[in-house]
Amino acid sequence: DRLTRKPVPYATVFERKQLVAAMTDEQGNFSLNLKKRSNTDSISVSRISYADTIISLRPEDGNNIEISITMMDKSLDSVVVQMMQRSWLSKSILSSRQIVNSINLNQFFTKQPFQFSLLPGIGSHGKMSSQSVNKFSFNLLGGYNGGVNGLELAGLYNITNRDVRYVQVAGLFNKAGGKAEGLQLAGLFNKDSSMKGFQAAGLFNKTVKTHGFQMAAFNENDTMQGFQAGAVNLNRKFKGVKIGIINVADTIEGIPIGLVNIGKSGIHRLSLSYNEMGFGLVSYKSGNPKFYNILVAGSSLNFNEKAFSIGYGFGKEMNISNAFSINPELTSLFFLNGNKEKQNISGRLQLNLQFKISRSFSLYAGPAIMALYSKPGIIPEGYKADLSNGATHFKVAKNTIGWFGWNVGINLF
């Protein structure tokens, strides 16, 4: 330390051209092995809280030299601790010296055509791999680099300080501190600051902002624009199309297709209805006015002619005024009426006129058209044989009939 004359531990000492580096120990000592000596050699020193320092090596200098560096701001030491504590993944895989070395060198990055590594720090760029932006990087097990501007492959994992362009593939995971652009594939997960392009993983994708295509069992974004597919999709703001079992978003400006859609805004309704088939139905509708999903289940209200139904559908709300709207809904229902071998599958389109009494209560009614495919079979006594409930029907195709019907109901929430 130029002022206190005390040793400075954990400073990174490196030669820029040869890409060799060392870190000082607790007494400030280091050993740097240069690949060759010349009249233009120089040594750089970087350490968080200290000004970057460069000294020239003269031909007459021996192997023992002393370098003085100047402190800038002691408060920056807390940044090191916070960054190391915040990333459990980095702490699990990288040594504390590798993390500190990367933080020391956060202003120095070099472009390289190629990198090969076995594990972080064991490869063609050694301790400087975390500061190298490579056009091609092959990591037999795992790699730790400054960035990718081409292609990176790893048997297990890739950890990148900054941006990733254009292709990154790993057997287990990819983790980028900056943006990812292009194609990113991983067996388990991808984690980036932002993603633009195609991203897929077996378990989950997690980004702050995504623009493009994203697919995994679990997807999490602050902002998503494009197409998203997964069992669970979690976003703060979404615009585009997403398909999942559960979709969660504060704001949905696109089309959410899923069994359950949860959000602070949009449509969340419990619906009770009755139709020409003599069925009472309970439906849960979730989504937004542009597109909402329908989960429906019901049964015949004639207990001497039992029948049960379950299905899925979607609808759209078109406002006529503050009180009235037209809601076209298309659903597909499966019916069970006593014979497990007899298949009864229907498609139903209904056009509802909805009257909003309050924010949480509305009435609706409208015409419907029904198409029912019924596989021939014997219906046991006590079950409903005629699912049309006596309606005048017409033939659509083999084993398929159609008829016109109606429905009335109420919406809650």
Side-chain angles (χ1 to χ4, degrees):
D1 186 295
R2 190 182 301 276
L3 180 63
T4 67
R5 307 306 300 169
K6 293 182 179 180
V8 179
Y10 312 119
T12 300
V13 185
F14 63 102
E15 205 286 326
R16 294 171 177 262
K17 295 180 180 179
Q18 299 183 28
L19 289 182
V20 291
M23 181 172 287
T24 61
D25 60 20
E26 294 182 356
Q27 288 74 43
N29 299 316
F30 70 91
S31 177
L32 185 67
N33 297 316
L34 297 180
K35 298 175 183 178
K36 60 181 179 178
R37 290 294 299 267
S38 70
N39 294 333
T40 59
D41 289 335
S42 63
I43 290 180
S44 301
V45 182
S46 293
R47 209 290 195 177
I48 197 75
S49 300
Y50 285 82
D52 288 345
T53 303
I54 301 177
I55 66 166
S56 297
L57 291 179
R58 299 168 299 179
E60 60 269 23
D61 289 335
N63 291 334
N64 296 318
I65 59 174
E66 183 179 277
I67 305 174
S68 297
I69 58 178
T70 304
M71 179 172 283
M72 298 293 290
D73 186 356
K74 292 183 179 180
S75 65
L76 289 177
D77 284 335
S78 63
V79 176
V80 179
V81 177
Q82 290 174 11
M83 290 184 69
M84 293 178 65
Q85 290 178 344
R86 188 165 58 231
S87 178
W88 65 268
L89 185 61
S90 296
K91 289 172 61 179
S92 300
I93 295 177
L94 304 175
S95 69
S96 59
R97 280 179 167 266
Q98 287 175 320
I99 296 175
V100 172
N101 184 67
S102 180
I103 295 172
N104 286 341
L105 297 173
N106 61 22
Q107 298 300 318
F108 174 75
F109 286 88
T110 177
K111 295 181 180 180
Q112 297 296 318
F114 174 84
Q115 171 186 272
F116 172 82
S117 69
L118 175 65
L119 287 169
I122 306 176
S124 57
H125 298 333
K127 297 177 181 179
M128 296 295 285
S129 64
S130 62
Q131 311 310 121
S132 301
V133 179
N134 308 293
K135 290 185 177 180
F136 176 76
S137 178
F138 178 72
N139 307 307
L140 188 61
L141 295 178
Y144 180 37
N145 57 58
V148 178
N149 192 24
L151 170 65
E152 182 170 49
L153 304 173
L156 296 180
Y157 60 85
N158 296 306
I159 300 177
T160 307
N161 270 333
R162 291 193 172 183
D163 299 341
V164 174
R165 302 170 66 188
Y166 295 96
V167 179
Q168 189 178 53
V169 182
L172 293 182
F173 67 84
N174 296 303
K175 181 181 182 297
K179 300 179 292 184
E181 180 180 345
L183 174 66
Q184 191 176 51
L185 305 174
L188 291 182
F189 67 87
N190 297 301
K191 186 176 181 181
D192 312 295
S193 173
S194 67
M195 175 65 194
K196 184 177 182 180
F198 183 96
Q199 185 181 59
L203 189 58
F204 72 86
N205 294 308
K206 185 174 182 180
T207 65
V208 176
K209 184 178 181 180
T210 300
H211 189 166
F213 185 100
Q214 190 176 55
M215 182 171 61
F218 180 89
N219 296 301
E220 181 180 356
N221 320 92
D222 185 67
T223 304
M224 173 70 197
Q225 183 174 354
F227 182 88
Q228 190 175 57
V232 178
N233 298 309
L234 177 63
N235 319 105
R236 185 184 64 82
K237 185 176 181 180
F238 180 85
K239 184 176 182 180
V241 177
K242 63 177 174 178
I243 300 174
I245 297 175
I246 299 175
N247 296 314
V248 182
D250 289 350
T251 304
I252 300 176
E253 298 182 6
I255 299 176
I257 303 174
L259 297 182
V260 179
N261 297 284
I262 302 172
K264 293 182 179 180
S265 60
I267 291 176
H268 306 282
R269 294 173 185 160
L270 179 65
S271 176
L272 306 176
S273 64
Y274 180 75
N275 61 30
E276 84 288 346
M277 299 172 65
F279 272 71
L281 301 171
V282 179
S283 305
Y284 174 66
K285 303 176 182 180
S286 60
N288 58 36
K290 293 181 181 179
F291 186 96
Y292 58 85
N293 301 266
I294 306 169
L295 286 176
V296 57
S299 70
S300 170
L301 297 186
N302 184 346
F303 299 109
N304 294 321
E305 294 183 337
K306 295 190 292 292
F308 306 94
S309 66
I310 187 170
Y312 173 80
F314 48 87
K316 179 180 178 66
E317 183 169 289
M318 299 178 290
N319 289 325
I320 302 175
S321 65
N322 291 334
F324 289 94
S325 67
I326 295 177
N327 293 49
E329 295 180 347
L330 179 64
T331 56
S332 178
L333 297 172
F334 174 78
F335 295 92
L336 183 62
N337 56 343
N339 186 344
K340 295 182 180 179
E341 302 298 325
K342 179 177 171 60
Q343 294 180 359
N344 298 288
I345 302 174
S346 74
R348 183 181 180 91
L349 176 64
Q350 51 196 37
L351 190 64
N352 297 324
L353 177 63
Q354 180 176 251
F355 174 58
K356 302 175 185 176
I357 298 176
S358 68
R359 185 175 181 180
S360 59
F361 185 78
S362 61
L363 304 174
Y364 67 87
I369 183 170
M370 182 84 168
L372 175 68
Y373 167 81
S374 294
K375 185 177 180 180
I378 299 174
I379 304 301
E381 184 177 352
Y383 286 88
K384 195 175 186 68
D386 181 13
L387 292 175
S388 70
N389 205 31
T392 302
H393 53 263
F394 50 88
K395 185 175 181 180
V396 177
K398 183 180 180 180
N399 299 327
T400 304
I401 60 172
W403 67 86
F404 293 98
W406 49 267
N407 78 123
V408 295
I410 61 172
N411 284 321
L412 307 175
F413 303 161

